[in-house]
Short mmCIF file of all heavy atoms in Angstrom, two decimals:
data_model
loop_
_atom_site.label_atom_id
_atom_site.label_comp_id
_atom_site.label_asym_id
_atom_site.label_seq_id
_atom_site.Cartn_x
_atom_site.Cartn_y
_atom_site.Cartn_z
N GLU W 1078 -3.55 81.98 60.57
CA GLU W 1078 -3.04 81.36 61.80
C GLU W 1078 -3.98 80.27 62.29
O GLU W 1078 -3.54 79.17 62.66
CB GLU W 1078 -2.87 82.42 62.89
CG GLU W 1078 -2.28 81.85 64.18
CD GLU W 1078 -2.09 82.91 65.26
OE1 GLU W 1078 -2.50 84.05 65.05
OE2 GLU W 1078 -1.53 82.56 66.32
N LEU W 1079 -5.29 80.54 62.28
CA LEU W 1079 -6.26 79.53 62.71
C LEU W 1079 -6.21 78.30 61.81
O LEU W 1079 -6.23 77.16 62.28
CB LEU W 1079 -7.67 80.13 62.71
CG LEU W 1079 -7.99 81.16 63.79
CD1 LEU W 1079 -9.33 81.82 63.51
CD2 LEU W 1079 -7.98 80.51 65.17
N ALA W 1080 -6.14 78.54 60.49
CA ALA W 1080 -6.11 77.43 59.54
C ALA W 1080 -4.84 76.59 59.71
O ALA W 1080 -4.90 75.34 59.72
CB ALA W 1080 -6.19 77.96 58.11
N LEU W 1081 -3.70 77.24 59.85
CA LEU W 1081 -2.45 76.51 60.01
C LEU W 1081 -2.43 75.73 61.32
O LEU W 1081 -1.88 74.62 61.38
CB LEU W 1081 -1.26 77.47 59.93
CG LEU W 1081 -1.02 78.14 58.58
CD1 LEU W 1081 0.20 79.05 58.64
CD2 LEU W 1081 -0.87 77.13 57.45
N ASN W 1082 -3.04 76.29 62.35
CA ASN W 1082 -3.13 75.56 63.62
C ASN W 1082 -3.97 74.29 63.47
O ASN W 1082 -3.61 73.22 63.99
CB ASN W 1082 -3.74 76.45 64.70
CG ASN W 1082 -2.76 77.50 65.21
OD1 ASN W 1082 -1.56 77.39 65.01
ND2 ASN W 1082 -3.28 78.54 65.84
N GLU W 1083 -5.09 74.39 62.75
CA GLU W 1083 -5.93 73.22 62.50
C GLU W 1083 -5.17 72.16 61.73
O GLU W 1083 -5.22 70.96 62.05
CB GLU W 1083 -7.20 73.61 61.73
CG GLU W 1083 -8.26 74.31 62.55
CD GLU W 1083 -9.56 74.44 61.79
OE1 GLU W 1083 -9.71 73.83 60.70
OE2 GLU W 1083 -10.46 75.15 62.27
N LEU W 1084 -4.47 72.59 60.70
CA LEU W 1084 -3.76 71.65 59.84
C LEU W 1084 -2.56 71.05 60.57
O LEU W 1084 -2.24 69.86 60.39
CB LEU W 1084 -3.33 72.35 58.55
CG LEU W 1084 -4.49 72.72 57.62
CD1 LEU W 1084 -4.05 73.74 56.57
CD2 LEU W 1084 -5.05 71.47 56.95
N THR W 1085 -1.89 71.84 61.41
CA THR W 1085 -0.79 71.31 62.20
C THR W 1085 -1.28 70.23 63.15
O THR W 1085 -0.63 69.19 63.34
CB THR W 1085 -0.12 72.44 62.99
OG1 THR W 1085 0.41 73.41 62.07
CG2 THR W 1085 1.02 71.91 63.86
N ALA W 1086 -2.47 70.46 63.74
CA ALA W 1086 -3.05 69.45 64.62
C ALA W 1086 -3.38 68.18 63.86
O ALA W 1086 -3.18 67.06 64.36
CB ALA W 1086 -4.30 70.01 65.29
N ALA W 1087 -3.90 68.34 62.63
CA ALA W 1087 -4.21 67.17 61.81
C ALA W 1087 -2.94 66.39 61.46
O ALA W 1087 -2.93 65.16 61.45
CB ALA W 1087 -4.93 67.61 60.54
N LEU W 1088 -1.87 67.12 61.19
CA LEU W 1088 -0.60 66.49 60.86
C LEU W 1088 -0.04 65.74 62.07
O LEU W 1088 0.46 64.61 61.94
CB LEU W 1088 0.38 67.56 60.40
CG LEU W 1088 1.59 67.12 59.59
CD1 LEU W 1088 1.19 66.34 58.36
CD2 LEU W 1088 2.43 68.32 59.21
N GLU W 1089 -0.16 66.32 63.23
CA GLU W 1089 0.33 65.67 64.45
C GLU W 1089 -0.46 64.39 64.73
O GLU W 1089 0.10 63.38 65.17
CB GLU W 1089 0.23 66.63 65.62
CG GLU W 1089 0.79 66.08 66.92
CD GLU W 1089 2.25 65.65 66.81
OE1 GLU W 1089 3.03 66.30 66.07
OE2 GLU W 1089 2.61 64.64 67.46
#
Side-chain angles (χ1 to χ4, degrees):
E1078 183 179 5
L1079 289 171
L1081 294 181
N1082 285 342
E1083 284 190 10
L1084 291 164
T1085 298
L1088 199 56
E1089 184 57 35

